[in-house]
Amino acid sequence: MRLTQILFSQGFGTRHECLGMIVNGAVSRAGTVLDDPELDLDINGLVLTIQGQDWPVHEKALILLHKPTGFECSMKPKHHPSVLSLLPGPLRVRGVQPVGRLDEDTTGLLLLTDDGALIHRLTHPKKKVPKIYEATLKHPMDETARQQLLKGVVLNDDPEPIQAAAAELPEPTRLILTLTGGRYHQVKRMVAAVGNRVEALHRSGFGRLRIPADLPPGAWAWADPADL
């Protein structure tokens, strides 16, 4: 792929702006300035340094964000900043969007991508991609309630029982719930259905992906689609 097209595809501006960055010496690879806009490069494994920032080239972006509280998973937020404001400009320009949603007060693992087919695969109910949630409960939960979550509870918008794929109680007021669906406020509503209340909610897993130990709230990292 030509160097100008690579920068454009990665969200570094219009083609004219990308051309200007190249001829002005703002793009390099392994310490060598690349000043030929027509230079043809293999993008597989390619890492460029653009305006002093190392940038691995990805045909499609898959981003893992450690979402903090106080941000909406929306392109047009109403009450709080969008999670997109936590990402660098090139990722926003190329059009990444959240894979599903986390509530404003929910923290944890949020995926964002510009791959529409991947979004469909990860959110379609038939794919049953597991997501792990850690909930802090208002009241202690007993074994009967935990078993109810595994057997299925009825929510007010669907007569069919909704089951958790797994439910663990490491502490009486701490619930680790694995779900393969993605209904609106599903964890909170399932917990309410067994007579309890979620006080805080954190998503710790999506597929085989987990939040890296060194990724603080508000920070992001490239994710490998193979880990899903």
Side-chain angles (χ1 to χ4, degrees), residues 144-157:
T144 299
R146 188 185 77 87
Q147 289 295 333
Q148 275 185 268
L149 293 171
L150 293 171
K151 293 176 182 177
V153 294
V154 176
L155 305 182
N156 57 15
D157 62 348

Side-chain angles (χ1 to χ4, degrees), residues 19-217:
L19 175 64
M21 292 169 62
I22 295 168
V23 299
N24 288 322
V27 182
S28 62
R29 179 180 60 173
T32 301
V33 174
L34 306 179
D35 56 6
D36 179 4
E38 300 299 317
L39 181 64
D40 195 21
L41 296 171
D42 182 358
I43 66 172
N44 291 319
L46 177 63
V47 178
L48 297 174
T49 302
I50 303 171
Q51 296 178 321
Q53 177 186 5
D54 288 340
W55 192 267
V57 175
H58 295 275
E59 183 177 1
K60 295 291 185 181
L62 180 61
I63 302 302
L64 187 159
L65 175 69
H66 188 166
K67 180 189 173 297
T69 59
F71 289 84
E72 294 183 24
C73 295
S74 172
M75 311 290 280
K76 297 179 180 179
K78 296 181 179 179
H79 306 293
H80 303 275
S82 169
V83 291
L84 297 175
S85 66
L86 298 170
L87 302 179
L91 289 175
R92 299 196 301 270
V93 169
R94 67 186 289 176
V96 299
Q97 55 184 297
V99 179
R101 293 173 181 266
L102 292 178
D103 295 339
E104 172 271 327
D105 59 350
T106 299
T107 63
L109 196 164
L110 178 68
L111 294 178
L112 302 101
T113 184
D114 55 358
D115 187 340
L118 180 60
I119 292 176
H120 177 74
R121 292 200 301 272
L122 292 177
T123 56
H124 197 287
K126 290 184 178 179
K127 298 300 181 181
K128 297 187 181 298
V129 180
K131 293 170 280 288
I132 302 173
Y133 296 87
E134 301 181 15
T136 301
L137 307 177
K138 183 175 183 178
H139 309 290
M141 179 175 285
D142 59 20
E143 179 62 15
T144 299
R146 188 185 77 87
Q147 289 295 333
Q148 275 185 268
L149 293 171
L150 293 171
K151 293 176 182 177
V153 294
V154 176
L155 305 182
N156 57 15
D157 62 348
D158 194 334
E160 293 295 323
I162 304 297
Q163 298 172 307
E168 303 172 44
L169 278 172
E171 300 172 18
T173 56
R174 181 168 170 252
L175 172 68
I176 301 177
L177 205 62
T178 301
L179 304 179
T180 57
R183 295 172 182 271
Y184 181 70
H185 287 170
Q186 184 170 343
V187 175
K188 295 176 181 178
R189 293 163 69 204
M190 290 181 70
V191 169
V194 295
N196 212 318
R197 178 184 174 88
V198 172
E199 297 283 271
L201 188 61
H202 177 83
R203 182 159 71 187
S204 58
F206 196 125
R208 290 197 298 270
L209 285 170
R210 301 294 182 269
I211 300 175
D214 58 350
L215 191 70

